[in-house]
């Protein structure tokens, strides 16, 4: 099966179940009009995350890596009115654009954007005595994923869902690639596989950006 057929199947699924409204399309435009890299998740992945949120009746969400807020808006729409999302962004220019997008999407009351290097921000959250989270989505600096996970598992409860984007890296996790992101993702996946306190599967995906996948873990 060639990649074109897989992409057509993805589009077929998207048209049926994960179509984007003008607000989400404008978020993508805001990325094209700035220097934000086009690393937003794809609609079918976003839809899957919303189903996981609903299955887990998740209210308290943490997202590490905001970019323009594309995934944040999908997540915000899927949690109840009294749900809250903390999303962390390192780049101030991206954060300004994301905050504007949250207002445009009318989810700004559900979303708190924290600026800074994620591990520093997480440490501050610790110092402020943060609650546990029901859902944690990591999509930021790949070599920090294991450190993000170590924080996540300390702020989880049975049933917490921990999702990590980009764990397949175009298959480079198979090839002993010297790429630091691929090495980090392989290490992350192997770490997950050894833990007995979580259950995990990787959901592979194909997009215009190639082959990738999300690791979905649930805390026992
Ligand atoms: C990269 C990061 C992402 O979060 C993504 O979805 C795709 C690529 C990257 O840093 O290469
Ligand atoms: Mg990503």
């Amino acid at each position: 099966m060639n990649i074109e057929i897989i992409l057509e199947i993805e589009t077929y699924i998207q048209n049926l179940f994960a179509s984007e409204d003008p607000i989400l399309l404008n978020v993508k435009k805001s990325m094209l009009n700035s220097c934000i890299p086009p690393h937003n998740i794809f609609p079918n992945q976003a839809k899957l995350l919303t189903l996981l949120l609903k299955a887990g009746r998740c209210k308290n969400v943490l997202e590490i890596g905001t970019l323009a807020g594309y995934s944040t808006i999908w997540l915000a729409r899927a949690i109840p009115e009294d749900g809250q999302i903390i999303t962390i962004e390192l780049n101030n220019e991206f954060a300004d654009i994301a905050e504007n997008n949250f207002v445009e999407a009318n989810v700004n009351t559900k979303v708190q954007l924290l600026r800074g290097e994620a591990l520093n921000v997480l440490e501050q959250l610790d110092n402020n005595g943060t609650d546990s989270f029901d859902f944690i989505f990591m999509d930021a600096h790949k070599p920090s994923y294991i450190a993000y996970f170590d924080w996540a598992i300390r702020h989880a409860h049975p049933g917490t869902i921990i999702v990590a984007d980009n764990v397949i890296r175009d298959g480079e996790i198979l090839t002993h690639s010297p790429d630091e992101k691929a090495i980090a993702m392989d290490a992350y996946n192997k770490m997950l596989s050894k833990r007995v306190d979580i259950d995990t599967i990787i959901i592979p995906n194909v997009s215009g950006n190639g082959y990738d996948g999300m690791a979905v873990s649930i805390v026992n």
Side-chain angles (χ1 to χ4, degrees):
M1 193 154 65
N2 62 36
I3 190 164
E4 281 74 27
I5 293 173
I6 302 176
L7 290 175
E8 279 178 35
I9 293 168
E10 289 285 341
T11 302
Y12 170 88
I13 296 169
Q14 181 185 334
N15 289 338
L16 286 176
F17 299 112
S19 57
E20 297 163 296
D21 67 354
I23 287 169
L24 288 167
L25 294 173
N26 277 333
V27 172
K28 294 206 289 202
K29 275 195 203 130
S30 77
M31 301 175 76
L32 289 173
N33 294 336
S34 65
C35 57
I36 302 184
H39 291 163
N40 53 285
I41 58 171
F42 282 79
N44 296 354
Q45 293 174 286
K47 181 63 183 280
L48 175 67
L49 296 186
T50 70
L51 298 188
L52 292 172
L53 283 172
K54 290 184 180 185
R57 305 213 181 285
C58 301
K59 279 189 176 180
N60 282 327
V61 176
L62 171 67
E63 178 181 61
I64 306 174
T66 315
L67 293 182
Y70 180 85
S71 50
T72 327
I73 292 169
W74 276 93
L75 299 176
R77 287 174 171 177
I79 59 173
E81 273 314 308
D82 59 343
Q84 274 291 323
I85 301 182
I86 291 177
T87 185
I88 303 174
E89 178 52 50
L90 170 66
N91 183 300
N92 259 318
E93 189 191 335
F94 302 176
D96 288 342
I97 292 167
E99 283 191 323
N100 185 55
N101 287 335
F102 298 149
V103 172
E104 293 293 324
N106 200 23
V107 297
N108 49 309
T109 53
K110 283 182 181 174
V111 178
Q112 186 187 8
L113 190 152
L114 301 179
R115 296 169 188 240
E117 206 273 314
L119 291 173
N120 292 337
V121 174
L122 294 174
E123 198 181 320
Q124 285 160 23
L125 284 175
D126 251 345
N127 294 339
N128 298 342
T130 191
D131 275 348
S132 66
F133 290 91
D134 308 317
F135 189 97
I136 298 173
F137 177 47
M138 52 179 90
D139 196 10
H141 183 234
K142 310 311 166 197
S144 299
Y145 270 28
I146 289 181
Y148 300 153
F149 181 90
D150 288 342
W151 192 96
I153 202 79
R154 286 192 292 110
H155 298 82
H157 53 73
T160 291
I161 299 165
I162 302 174
V163 179
D165 193 29
N166 310 115
V167 300
I168 296 298
R169 302 286 314 171
D170 240 336
E172 282 191 72
I173 39 93
L174 298 173
T175 59
H176 303 287
S177 158
D179 176 67
E180 66 161 4
K181 294 175 184 173
I183 292 168
M185 292 300 86
D186 183 44
Y188 181 76
N189 296 334
K190 287 178 173 150
M191 179 277 295
L192 293 179
S193 77
K194 292 194 189 87
R195 292 195 70 116
V196 295
D197 53 346
I198 55 173
D199 273 332
T200 302
I201 194 64
I202 293 172
I203 301 172
N205 64 272
V206 182
S207 70
N209 289 352
Y211 298 93
D212 218 318
M214 279 182 170
V216 177
S217 305
I218 301 197
V219 178
N220 289 318

